[in-house]
Amino acid sequence: MRARDLTVPYPTVRLGDSVLSAARLLAGRHLPGLIVVDENDRPCTVLPGSQVLRMAVPRYCLDDPALARVIDEDAADVFLRELGERTVAESLPTERRELPVVAPEDTALEIAALMARTRTPLVAVVENGTLLGAVTLADLLDRILGDTR
Amino acid sequence: MRARDLTVPYPTVRLGDSVLSAARLLAGRHLPGLIVVDENDRPCTVLPGSQVLRMAVPRYCLDDPALARVIDEDAADVFLRELGERTVAESLPTERRELPVVAPEDTALEIAALMARTRTPLVAVVENGTLLGAVTLADLLDRILGDTR
């Protein structure tokens, strides 16, 4: 089993898309995360759902949990409204992490090790710079668990 | 909206359960992660799906991607078989991280900030040491996005 056998079509978001539309895509399609592509449709990052949410959380709440605690319930319910048209590019984390990207010939074990290291439940599958789709943790587990029964 | 309004019953795994049974629970119920409880049913850790998978990946593949690459396809398909009866307790990461646990009165913003910081798409909801259930990223997003339409 190779990445190509597990690859499924996967929606992408662009750097210029709003964070709000990215969050809606994640929620509306029940995705485990999102692939962000540049103007040439090449993946520039792959975000687990928690890091899509992170783009929508005010910075001061990330840095200091005590500050999130003093926001009252009504304001805390609608923090997404503060986002306005803020884009994915403006909200991505600046730290560089290992990119969860595999080649079509990578094995189940290489995909699993990459998901584990990058803490990301999906990997983008790229061949010669072209995005072919993604392998999700759910699909990978289904296949490798099938061999243990 | 408080954590108690978003809490749903959530399955748990015990420290003595096998990693294989934990992976099967994750895959079989399409869960975003797992809550690991101790002998008193108190959460000792909450793992995103990628870190449940991490427990099943041979250590040498996590440390060095080049080693995963030299395992041939047939062997890579069945790496879960090497797990045998290895338990969750034997496989948990040793580093201590912030625990994704909230109180029933915590707000949507506090939950979102905690998921973002801990890179975990679920939080355990605990009151007086008792596990009430979990809030998932999917449920949280559904509710807070509803207010932006």
Side-chain angles (χ1 to χ4, degrees):
Chain A
M1 181 177 15
R2 304 277 179 176
R4 74 168 63 85
D5 308 315
L6 293 162
T7 304
V8 293
Y10 205 87
T12 58
V13 296
R14 294 185 170 276
L15 285 165
D17 288 346
S18 71
V19 172
L20 206 49
S21 68
R24 285 197 182 117
L25 176 65
L26 186 83
R29 308 265 300 258
H30 299 284
L31 301 172
L34 290 177
I35 300 173
V36 182
V37 296
D38 63 18
E39 63 277 10
N40 300 314
D41 286 326
R42 298 189 181 197
C44 45
T45 191
V46 180
L47 299 171
S50 65
Q51 300 311 289
V52 176
L53 182 64
R54 183 191 184 97
M55 295 194 292
V57 174
R59 188 71 44 94
Y60 62 86
C61 293
L62 294 174
D63 296 338
D64 185 350
L67 288 176
R69 207 165 299 135
V70 298
I71 308 295
D72 71 27
E73 181 179 350
D74 289 344
D77 282 355
V78 295
F79 69 89
L80 289 186
R81 287 189 198 160
E82 288 171 40
L83 278 173
E85 288 304 306
R86 195 142 64 91
T87 64
V88 169
E90 290 164 344
S91 312
L92 281 178
T94 49
E95 42 166 348
R96 301 286 290 182
R97 287 173 169 267
E98 181 181 7
L99 206 56
V101 168
V102 300
E105 63 271 21
D106 286 357
T107 64
L109 181 56
E110 288 178 85
I111 300 168
L114 186 60
M115 286 179 178
R117 273 203 311 279
T118 58
R119 296 178 70 91
T120 305
L122 76 159
V123 296
V125 184
V126 172
E127 185 168 41
N128 300 327
T130 301
L131 177 67
L132 303 182
V135 177
T136 68
L137 172 62
D139 287 346
L140 176 68
L141 264 187
D142 272 351
R143 289 287 290 270
I144 59 181
L145 281 168
D147 282 325
T148 65
R149 281 185 190 110
Chain B
M1 181 176 17
R2 304 277 178 177
R4 75 168 63 84
D5 307 316
L6 293 162
T7 304
V8 294
Y10 205 88
T12 58
V13 296
R14 295 184 171 279
L15 286 165
D17 288 346
S18 72
V19 171
L20 206 49
S21 68
R24 285 195 182 119
L25 176 66
L26 186 83
R29 308 265 300 258
H30 299 284
L31 302 172
L34 290 176
I35 300 173
V36 182
V37 296
D38 64 17
E39 63 277 11
N40 299 313
D41 286 326
R42 297 187 181 199
C44 45
T45 192
V46 179
L47 299 171
S50 65
Q51 301 312 289
V52 177
L53 181 64
R54 183 190 185 97
M55 295 193 294
V57 174
R59 188 73 42 96
Y60 61 86
C61 294
L62 294 174
D63 296 339
D64 185 351
L67 289 176
R69 208 165 300 136
V70 298
I71 308 294
D72 71 27
E73 181 180 349
D74 288 345
D77 281 355
V78 295
F79 70 88
L80 290 185
R81 286 189 198 159
E82 287 171 41
L83 278 173
E85 288 303 306
R86 196 143 64 92
T87 64
V88 169
E90 290 164 345
S91 311
L92 281 178
T94 48
E95 42 165 348
R96 302 284 290 180
R97 286 175 171 265
E98 182 181 6
L99 207 56
V101 168
V102 299
E105 63 271 20
D106 286 357
T107 64
L109 180 56
E110 288 178 85
I111 300 167
L114 186 59
M115 286 179 177
R117 272 202 311 279
T118 59
R119 295 179 71 92
T120 306
L122 76 159
V123 296
V125 184
V126 172
E127 185 168 42
N128 300 325
T130 301
L131 178 67
L132 303 182
V135 177
T136 68
L137 173 61
D139 287 346
L140 177 68
L141 264 188
D142 272 351
R143 288 287 291 269
I144 59 180
L145 281 168
D147 280 326
T148 65
R149 282 184 189 109

